[in-house]
Amino acid sequence: METASGSATAVASRDLGSQRGRSLVPERLQSREHERQLEVERRKQKRQNQEVEEEKSDFFAAAFSRERLAVEELLEGGESVEQLEEAAARLQGLQKLLNDSVLFLAAYDLRQGQEVLARLQEALAKRRQELQPKKRFAFKTRRKDAASATKVDSAPGAPAAEGILASPPPLKEEEGFDSSWICGFSNLQSQVLEKRDEELHQRDVLLTQLINCTIKLYGNPNTLRLTKARGCTLLCGPVSTSVFLENCSDCVLAVACQQLRVHTTKDTRIFLQVTSRAIVEDCTGIQFAPYTWSYPGIDKDFEGSGLDRSKNNWSDVDDFNWLARDVASPNWSILPEEERRIQ
């Protein structure tokens, strides 16, 4: 009897286990089906997002090309100040289009757009210069005389005098700059250098080969370029278009602009107000913080520059040497708040 009872118990146990096994099969199938549906939905959403980005990219390419051609036609045929002002307005619209598209544009397309804008801005500055009154030639002569008066200050090996340089040495023409329409300083060491609004307004500023200098630019330049500088502090009012920084080290900058490009530069702090995304390339040790410099009249200069003061992308930086989007670039960083001292 005990044997029969044990056999019955075993059979009942097997039947219960079999029932449990059969009940688990549908649960596994349901779970697998649910996971499959989720994966299908994820792929569908990814495909839709990709299609949206492609549509946005196509719209950007068409709109950018159309506006670029319109600006080029105005610059090529512009024989009046009014036409150049229209070109400048449309160029600002082109800059805004690029700024609004940075989130979905590929790094290559963004770089190409920035290069087109830089070329058009330089062409605009050149056309403005060509329409200036001929009296500008008298300025060239005065500048030559001033250069002779400061020849000792800029001579190689000569000790640099402390204080503000009254008349800067002559500037050599660089790529993208018309030598008759630039101002700035070059080949100086351990000096405090200043320029005011009447010297800077919508001019192209070139600062090159400076060592341990402090440069203060009170006004609204059109473009600004700092090259081959070491240990310098540059404080500048709002720049209407682009700021270029290249071959510099151990510098501190405070700049406000539409576009910032930094090349082959290291160990430099930048206090920045920018309406597009800053670009760094072949750089190391670059630190960014928001623009904080101020001086009497800066509000008026901002109004004249056309910059949107409420829009500041100082911490949105594209490193063209670091394309991994999910890993931060080691070449630039945010300057800690406790270290945000311009001087």
Side-chain angles (χ1 to χ4, degrees):
M1 293 292 292
E2 291 179 0
T3 302
S5 176
S7 299
T9 301
V11 169
S13 178
R14 285 197 300 272
D15 290 344
L16 181 60
S18 178
Q19 292 175 1
R20 287 176 177 173
R22 285 196 299 272
S23 66
L24 287 175
V25 171
E27 290 180 6
R28 291 196 193 101
L29 290 176
Q30 290 176 3
S31 176
R32 189 177 300 172
E33 177 64 17
H34 181 64
E35 291 176 357
R36 187 188 70 82
Q37 290 178 354
L38 288 177
E39 179 62 24
V40 169
E41 187 62 29
R42 280 195 293 268
R43 290 181 180 179
K44 180 180 178 181
Q45 187 64 43
K46 183 178 179 180
R47 187 168 59 253
Q48 289 176 344
N49 291 341
Q50 185 175 356
E51 290 174 353
V52 170
E53 288 197 0
E54 289 175 353
E55 290 177 0
K56 289 181 177 179
S57 297
D58 291 343
F59 171 80
F60 167 81
F64 192 87
S65 177
R66 183 175 61 251
E67 286 301 300
R68 174 181 60 80
L69 289 173
V71 173
E72 288 176 343
E73 289 178 0
L74 286 168
L75 292 178
E76 289 174 2
E79 299 296 337
S80 67
V81 174
E82 290 75 14
Q83 286 177 303
L84 292 188
E85 290 308 312
E86 182 182 352
R90 300 193 76 150
L91 189 53
Q92 285 192 346
L94 201 59
Q95 177 74 64
K96 185 178 186 302
L97 175 62
L98 184 63
N99 295 347
D100 294 341
S101 306
V102 294
L103 294 179
F104 59 82
L105 285 180
Y108 174 80
D109 294 331
L110 177 61
R111 183 175 183 176
Q112 291 293 105
Q114 297 280 23
E115 289 177 352
V116 168
L117 285 172
R119 177 176 58 80
L120 292 176
Q121 287 161 358
E122 290 167 1
L124 175 61
K126 184 176 181 180
R127 291 294 291 129
R128 279 175 167 165
Q129 176 266 325
E130 290 172 351
L131 290 180
Q132 291 296 315
K134 297 299 182 180
K135 64 181 181 180
R136 190 175 62 252
F137 290 103
F139 170 74
K140 285 186 178 180
T141 303
R142 291 195 300 271
R143 184 172 61 183
K144 183 177 180 180
D145 295 339
S148 300
T150 58
K151 187 175 180 181
V152 174
D153 292 335
S154 59
E162 294 293 337
I164 299 174
L165 180 69
S167 301
L171 294 172
K172 295 181 180 179
E173 184 173 355
E174 299 228 349
E175 182 181 356
F177 284 85
D178 186 334
S179 61
S180 64
W181 196 236
I182 62 174
C183 63
F185 303 100
S186 66
N187 299 296
L188 295 169
Q189 182 173 346
S190 302
Q191 297 205 24
V192 177
L193 311 169
E194 292 186 1
K195 282 192 177 293
R196 297 287 171 173
D197 182 62
E198 57 272 14
E199 300 174 273
L200 295 173
H201 186 66
Q202 289 302 304
R203 300 287 295 277
D204 295 322
V205 179
L206 175 60
L207 308 170
T208 182
Q209 296 181 338
L210 303 176
I211 300 175
N212 297 328
C213 289
T214 296
I215 309 102
K216 297 181 180 181
L217 305 177
Y218 302 94
N220 168 217
N222 180 51
T223 63
L224 169 64
R225 177 174 290 179
L226 176 67
T227 70
K228 301 174 185 176
R230 187 171 78 247
C232 291
T233 296
L234 168 61
L235 310 177
C236 183
V239 179
S240 292
T241 56
S242 301
V243 172
F244 302 93
L245 177 64
E246 52 192 350
N247 297 324
C248 298
S249 63
D250 301 299
C251 292
V252 176
L253 286 82
V255 292
C257 56
Q258 279 189 357
Q259 171 189 346
L260 172 71
R261 299 194 65 167
V262 186
H263 294 268
T264 54
T265 291
K266 63 180 181 179
D267 302 328
T268 291
R269 295 182 174 187
I270 303 176
F271 294 81
L272 180 64
Q273 168 103 24
V274 66
T275 54
S276 63
R277 295 170 70 94
I279 294 174
V280 299
E281 188 172 17
D282 299 327
C283 296
T284 58
I286 308 299
Q287 293 182 296
F288 289 93
Y291 182 81
T292 55
W293 192 49
S294 184
Y295 56 87
I298 192 172
D299 293 336
K300 181 180 178 181
D301 289 336
F302 262 105
E303 291 177 5
S305 70
L307 298 178
D308 184 354
R309 205 169 184 179
S310 65
K311 188 173 184 179
N312 189 2
N313 298 318
W314 66 271
S315 60
D316 294 333
V317 181
D318 290 322
D319 183 353
F320 284 164
N321 297 108
W322 190 262
L323 302 180
R325 295 189 176 185
D326 55 340
V327 180
S329 167
N331 300 319
W332 70 273
S333 61
I334 301 298
L335 183 65
E337 290 190 14
E338 62 273 14
E339 299 180 24
R340 295 178 183 178
R341 296 182 298 276
I342 295 179
Q343 292 178 299

